[in-house]
Amino acid sequence: MRLEQALEEYEKLRKKSSKELEKIRKKYNKRLERKIKELLKRIDQLEGRNIPKDVEGNIRKIVTAERRNYVTALRNALAGIEDMESLGKRLPDLAKLHVGHGKYLLLIFEKEVYAINRLLKELNEEYVSYYNELTEKGLEELNLEGTLREINETEEAIESIEAEVEELQERLVELEKEREELYHESGLARIEDEMAAVRSRIRGAEMEVRSKASKLQKPVKRMRLGEPTAEELIRDTSIALKNPGDFVKFVARIEPRLELKQRKAAKWLLENLAGKVEEINRERKRLEELENRREEILRKGASIEEEIRRIKSLIAKKEAELRKLRNRLEHLEGELDEGIRKLEEILGESIER
C-alpha cells in the first residue's frame, strides 16, 4: 500500500476511534458524576453525625478536629474533579485521604469512614477501568503528515543553503585568482625571495664581524682597561657594528698587546670592518626598499584579502547550518520510519513511501 493511501485509511480509523473514545468518556463521566454525588452525601452524613455522649472531653476535641480536617480535605479534593481526566490528576490526593483520617475518627465513626473509603476505592478502580478501555479502543496518534512536511521543508532548506555555498565557493575561487594575478603581476614572490636573500646576507656579514670581535673579548677583559669601549665589548660584540669608527681606533690601540691568533682577528677588523658595515648598511637600505614595495603591493591586495576572509567565514557558518539541518533530516527520517512501522501494525499491511 502506498503511504498516501495508508494515511487516508488511518484518518478514517482515527475518526472512528475518536467517536468511540468520546462515547467511553461520556459513559464514565456520567458514572463519575454519580459517584461524586454519593461521596458528597456521605461526607455530609459524617459531618452531621453527633459525637456520642460517652466520648470523653479530650477525645471529643480530637475527634472534632479530625473530622473537620478530613471533611474539608475531602471536599477540596472533590471540588476540582469535573471529568475522568481531572480525576486522574487528583488520584494521588485521594489516595492520601483514603488513609488520612485520624484513628479516633475511625473509632467513633467507623461505618461512615469505611463507606467513604469504599467510594474512594471505587473511584480509583473506575479510573483504571477507564484508562484501560481508552487504551484498548484508542488509536495511537501519528503525525506522519507533519513529519513529512518538516522533511520537505528541511530538504528545501538544505538545497537552498547548498546553492548559496556553491555560489560563495565560486566567488572565493574568483577572488583567490584575482589575488594571485595581482601578486604575480606585482612580482610579490620575487620581492619576498630577494628580501629573504638580503636578510641572509645581512645576518652572515653581522655574524662574521661579531665572530672576529668575540676573539678579542677575553684578552680585553684580562687587560682591565676600564674604558667604555672595552667594557661594552666584553658585554656585547655588537659594539663593532654600532660604533665601527670608535671600535677600529680601539682595536688599533690594543693590537700590539694581542697574541698572534688574536692579532689576526684584530687585523681583519682593521682592514674589513668599515667595508663590512658599509655593505650591511647598503643591504639594509635595499631591504627597506623591498619591504616598502611589498607593503604597497599588500595594501592593494588588502581589500581582496578581507573579502576572502569574509567569504570563508560565511561559508563556514553556512556549512555549520547544513550539518545541523542534515542531522535534523536524519532524525526526521528515523521518526518517519518509526511512524510507518506503527502504521503498518495498525493497518496490518506493508507500506511503501
Side-chain angles (χ1 to χ4, degrees):
M1 181 184 295
R2 297 291 299 172
L3 180 56
E4 293 80 3
Q5 183 184 353
L7 290 174
E8 290 176 4
E9 291 297 320
Y10 169 75
E11 186 60 23
K12 292 176 184 177
L13 288 175
R14 195 187 65 79
K15 288 179 179 178
K16 181 180 177 183
S17 172
S18 180
K19 291 178 181 179
E20 290 180 357
L21 294 180
E22 188 58 31
K23 290 178 182 179
I24 293 170
R25 289 190 184 95
K26 287 181 179 179
K27 177 182 69 175
Y28 277 92
N29 285 337
K30 286 181 180 179
R31 284 155 57 171
L32 174 65
E33 187 178 354
R34 291 196 296 268
K35 291 285 184 186
I36 295 294
K37 285 181 179 179
E38 188 175 352
L39 256 172
L40 290 172
K41 179 181 176 182
R42 295 287 185 176
I43 292 169
D44 290 340
Q45 289 175 352
L46 173 61
E47 190 177 35
R49 286 289 305 277
N50 292 322
I51 299 174
K53 293 179 180 179
D54 59 348
V55 175
E56 298 177 1
N58 286 336
I59 301 299
R60 178 179 292 272
K61 288 180 182 179
I62 294 171
V63 171
T64 301
E66 286 182 351
R67 180 169 64 177
R68 182 175 59 251
N69 294 338
Y70 183 57
V71 165
T72 300
L74 277 170
R75 283 181 175 146
N76 288 339
L78 295 174
I81 299 174
E82 298 175 351
D83 53 26
M84 295 300 292
E85 296 302 324
S86 57
L87 170 63
K89 295 176 182 177
R90 287 301 184 102
L91 281 177
D93 295 333
L94 294 175
K96 293 176 184 177
L97 290 171
H98 188 70
V99 293
H101 47 73
K103 64 177 183 179
Y104 290 109
L105 182 65
L106 182 61
L107 286 172
I108 305 303
F109 299 111
E110 181 180 11
K111 179 180 177 182
E112 290 78 2
V113 172
Y114 278 154
I116 290 171
N117 278 350
R118 176 179 55 79
L119 290 170
L120 292 175
K121 182 180 178 184
E122 287 176 4
L123 279 181
N124 184 72
E125 292 170 349
E126 278 284 284
Y127 183 79
V128 171
S129 177
Y130 165 77
Y131 180 81
N132 290 337
E133 200 165 334
L134 282 185
T135 303
E136 181 184 351
K137 299 290 184 180
L139 196 63
E140 184 175 358
E141 285 290 333
L142 301 176
N143 187 26
L144 295 181
E145 294 92 340
T147 304
L148 282 168
R149 184 168 56 253
E150 194 171 350
I151 285 174
N152 291 333
E153 290 171 356
T154 305
E155 287 176 339
E156 288 173 4
I158 289 172
E159 186 177 343
S160 174
I161 295 176
E162 284 177 340
E164 289 180 38
V165 170
E166 187 176 352
E167 288 179 9
L168 288 168
Q169 287 173 336
E170 289 174 359
R171 177 59 181 152
L172 182 61
V173 170
E174 291 173 2
L175 285 167
E176 288 176 338
K177 184 178 179 182
E178 185 179 340
R179 178 185 62 184
E180 292 307 312
E181 287 175 355
L182 170 65
Y183 292 162
H184 177 72
E185 291 171 2
S186 303
L188 180 63
R190 178 181 56 77
I191 290 171
E192 289 178 336
D193 287 344
E194 188 176 350
M195 286 172 63
V198 171
R199 289 193 184 99
S200 178
R201 290 197 294 271
I202 291 172
R203 283 195 302 273
E206 288 179 341
M207 286 176 64
E208 187 177 14
V209 170
R210 295 185 70 166
S211 175
K212 298 296 183 182
S214 68
K215 290 179 170 56
L216 305 181
Q217 284 179 306
K218 287 183 178 180
V220 167
K221 187 175 182 180
R222 285 196 297 270
M223 290 178 189
R224 301 179 182 275
L225 299 173
E227 58 183 280
T229 302
E231 296 299 323
E232 181 67 21
L233 172 61
I234 293 169
R235 289 194 303 271
D236 186 1
T237 58
S238 66
I239 186 177
L241 298 167
K242 293 176 182 176
N243 301 300
D246 291 344
F247 188 73
V248 166
K249 291 177 184 178
F250 170 76
V251 173
R253 287 201 314 272
I254 66 167
E255 190 264 343
R257 299 171 61 180
L258 299 173
E259 295 179 1
L260 181 60
K261 288 183 179 180
Q262 298 157 358
R263 283 182 185 177
K264 287 183 179 179
K267 184 177 181 179
W268 187 94
L269 288 166
L270 292 170
E271 293 175 354
N272 298 292
L273 180 58
K276 284 292 180 180
V277 169
E278 186 178 343
E279 177 189 335
I280 289 169
N281 288 336
R282 281 198 310 271
E283 294 288 11
R284 285 177 175 163
K285 185 177 180 181
R286 176 58 179 164
L287 180 60
E288 184 178 354
E289 291 173 357
L290 291 169
E291 286 174 342
N292 290 337
R293 285 169 60 186
R294 180 178 180 273
E295 287 302 314
E296 184 180 351
I297 294 168
L298 292 178
R299 278 195 298 272
K300 291 179 181 178
S303 60
I304 299 175
E305 295 281 5
E306 179 59 31
E307 184 66 4
I308 286 173
R309 284 193 293 271
R310 189 187 71 82
I311 289 179
K312 283 183 176 180
S313 175
L314 194 54
I315 288 172
K317 288 179 182 177
K318 295 291 182 183
E319 287 177 340
E321 286 182 47
L322 282 174
R323 285 193 294 273
K324 289 181 181 178
L325 286 169
R326 286 169 181 148
N327 288 338
R328 178 59 182 161
L329 182 60
E330 184 179 353
H331 177 74
L332 289 168
E333 291 285 357
E335 281 188 1
L336 182 61
D337 289 340
E338 178 62 16
I340 290 174
R341 185 190 65 76
K342 291 178 179 179
L343 187 55
E344 286 176 334
E345 291 179 358
I346 291 169
L347 300 180
E349 290 192 42
S350 178
I351 298 171
E352 297 178 9
R353 285 185 58 177

